[in-house]
Every structure is written in C-alpha cells, then in structure tokens.
Amino acid sequence: MMSAYIDFIRIRFIMMLAYRVNYYSGIIIYAINIGAYYFLWQAIYGDKETLAGFTVTQMTTYVAVSWMARAFYFNNLDREIANEIRDGSVAVQLIRPYSYLLVKMMQGFGEGLFRMLLFMVPGMIIVCLIFPVTLPTDPKTWAIYLIMLFFSFLINSQINILTGLFAFFVENNEGMMRMKRVMVDLFSGVVIPIAFFPGWLSAIMQWLPFQAITYLPSSVFTGRTPTSEALHVFVIQILWFLGLLVPIWLTWRAARKRLFVQGG
C-alpha cells in the first residue's frame, strides 16, 4: 500500500514539470525579493556589526536561505482541499481505499521535491553568485538542516491541511487561507527574524508552531544557533508535528460526519 502513496509523489512531481517555466521565472522573482531584503538590512545595520545576535553576514545568509527554503516547504494544499470540498470531488476521494489526508501530504511532498531540485537549488546558486552569502562548510550542519527542512515541510503542510479542512464548516474559507499565508510568512521569520520582534511577541511565538518552520532551522544553518543545540530545535519540531496531528484528526473526524457538498 505504501508503494501506492509513493506513486502520488512521483505523479505530482511529473505534473509539476508541465509548469516548470513558472518556476524558472520564480527564481528571478525570489532573487529580486532577496536582493530587496539584502539592501534593506544593509541600510538597517549601517555601521553596526551585530543586531539581535545576527552579524551582517549571518543576516545575509539567513535572508537567502529562508526564502529559498520557503520554495521547498510552500504548497497550496489548503486551496486544493477547499476546492475539492466546494466542487464535491472530495466525496469521490473519500470512498477510495486510501487515506485522503496522507495522499495530500504525499502530493505536497512531490511538489516540494520538484521545487527543491528545479527552484531551490538553482536559485540558491544564482543568489550566492550575486550576494555575499556564506554557506557552512561542515557536512554535519548541512545534514542537520536538511532534516529540519523536512520537518518544516511537514509542519507547514499540516497547517495548510488544517486550514483547508475548515472549508467543511465555513464553505468559503478564502479569507482564512489568505490570513494563514500572511501569518506563516510573518511569524515564521521569513519577513523578519523573530529575534527582532518585541519581547512580548517573541515570547508568544515560542508557543506557536511558526518558528519551527523557518526561524529555528535557518538560525542553525547560519550559525546563530550552535549545532550543539540542534537537538533542542529537533525536539520543538517533532513536538509540533505530533501536536498538530491532534487538531487535524479531530477536524477530519468532525468533517466526515457533516459532509456538505455544493453542487456535487
């Protein structure tokens, strides 16, 4: 049965090849975004060598890595689920002999692999040629970061799935999905590292899953957080992964009891 789920990864990867031109242009867009943030932070730092524990070099690397990591863990599972609920196709999915939510996760992973190979890696090479990005030379740091990046994908996908499932109850959750996307980009540390948040807001972020998506893994990769403390970051990511399974299961259980198909 597991081989069938793996096929969903392969199929989604092949499907994404049909839209690869969009991702090639996306590399340019992401490079422009990184460039804009690079010059912005250069102006913010001025003559200062460090701010909130980040050196100028670490901040440059953090910006580049955070945006390119977003290319991997980003997906539209919430929108896919919501659309299938609205058009009624979810009813067909539910009678098939597989886990609907696990299939969605596999499809998202297939898209993530495509983005990593044809977007993240070439995009990172281009960014490193343009901006003074300093990548770690220790293979251990790379291995740790790749594992963390995988958990970033899992946690972000869980949040997307949970948001998409709310379409069972509100019928049109477009506003919720837009709000979720802004919250993830802002509170995960892609736009502004959490270290720059006010003390009270930074304390709140420690109790939310967003920091485990971008801020904590990127901090380890840039050296702001020593690799000796990587285990602590792993624990946080694993706890949030396991913790998010509970609301997803409860929401899915409640949703299946009140399936309401519009026009299906």
Side-chain angles (χ1 to χ4, degrees):
M1 187 64 182
M2 183 54 65
S3 61
Y5 289 111
I6 295 177
D7 282 340
F8 282 106
I9 299 177
R10 179 181 59 83
I11 293 171
R12 178 56 65 94
F13 186 95
I14 294 174
M15 287 177 59
M16 298 306 297
L17 288 174
Y19 305 98
R20 56 185 179 274
V21 175
N22 292 339
Y23 290 96
Y24 295 154
S25 62
I27 293 174
I28 299 175
I29 295 174
Y30 266 57
I32 292 174
N33 282 335
I34 292 172
Y37 279 100
Y38 167 73
F39 291 114
L40 174 62
W41 283 109
Q42 287 288 319
I44 293 174
Y45 269 80
D47 296 330
K48 299 183 178 67
E49 294 185 0
T50 61
L51 282 176
F54 282 92
T55 65
V56 177
T57 302
Q58 285 177 333
M59 179 56 69
T60 303
T61 305
Y62 177 92
V63 169
V65 170
S66 297
W67 276 97
M68 286 304 167
R70 183 182 184 274
F72 169 69
Y73 66 69
F74 176 85
N75 57 60
N76 288 307
L77 292 182
D78 50 352
R79 193 171 301 279
E80 289 183 20
I81 294 173
N83 288 339
E84 290 177 357
I85 293 172
R86 283 195 290 267
D87 64 22
S89 60
V90 67
V92 179
Q93 300 288 341
L94 292 178
I95 64 176
R96 290 178 176 172
Y98 52 62
S99 170
Y100 174 73
L101 298 184
L102 185 54
V103 166
K104 287 301 173 187
M105 186 69 78
M106 292 298 182
Q107 289 176 338
F109 187 59
E111 180 178 343
L113 288 178
F114 175 87
R115 287 173 173 269
M116 173 180 282
L117 296 176
L118 297 181
F119 191 148
M120 180 180 173
V121 173
M124 198 65 192
I125 293 174
I126 293 174
V127 167
C128 288
L129 293 176
I130 299 175
F131 305 106
V133 175
T134 303
L135 301 178
T137 57
D138 187 358
K140 180 180 177 181
T141 302
W142 282 92
I144 290 174
Y145 178 72
L146 289 176
I147 298 175
M148 290 180 175
L149 186 60
F150 176 68
F151 275 95
S152 297
F153 159 78
L154 292 177
I155 295 171
N156 182 70
S157 297
Q158 286 177 308
I159 295 174
N160 285 348
I161 289 174
L162 188 59
T163 306
L165 289 177
F166 271 96
F168 274 109
F169 306 96
V170 299
E171 299 179 16
N172 189 343
N173 62 342
E174 183 67 30
M176 185 180 298
M177 290 188 291
R178 291 179 182 273
M179 180 182 70
K180 181 272 306 176
R181 182 170 298 182
V182 172
M183 290 179 63
V184 170
D185 284 345
L186 179 60
F187 295 145
S188 68
V190 173
V191 179
I192 303 174
I194 295 177
F196 287 83
F197 286 10
W200 62 271
L201 185 55
S202 179
I204 294 176
M205 289 299 101
Q206 296 180 9
W207 297 95
L208 296 176
F210 305 114
Q211 64 168 347
I213 298 176
T214 300
Y215 177 70
L216 294 179
S218 295
S219 294
V220 173
F221 187 80
T222 58
R224 184 181 186 275
T225 300
T227 54
S228 59
E229 299 180 15
L231 179 61
H232 177 68
V233 177
F234 275 132
V235 171
I236 293 175
Q237 288 187 309
I238 292 172
L239 289 177
W240 275 116
F241 169 70
L242 296 176
L244 286 170
L245 291 176
V246 176
I248 290 175
W249 179 77
L250 293 175
T251 304
W252 179 238
R253 182 181 180 185
R256 295 185 64 179
K257 291 181 178 179
R258 64 172 307 280
L259 176 61
F260 176 73
V261 177
Q262 301 184 55

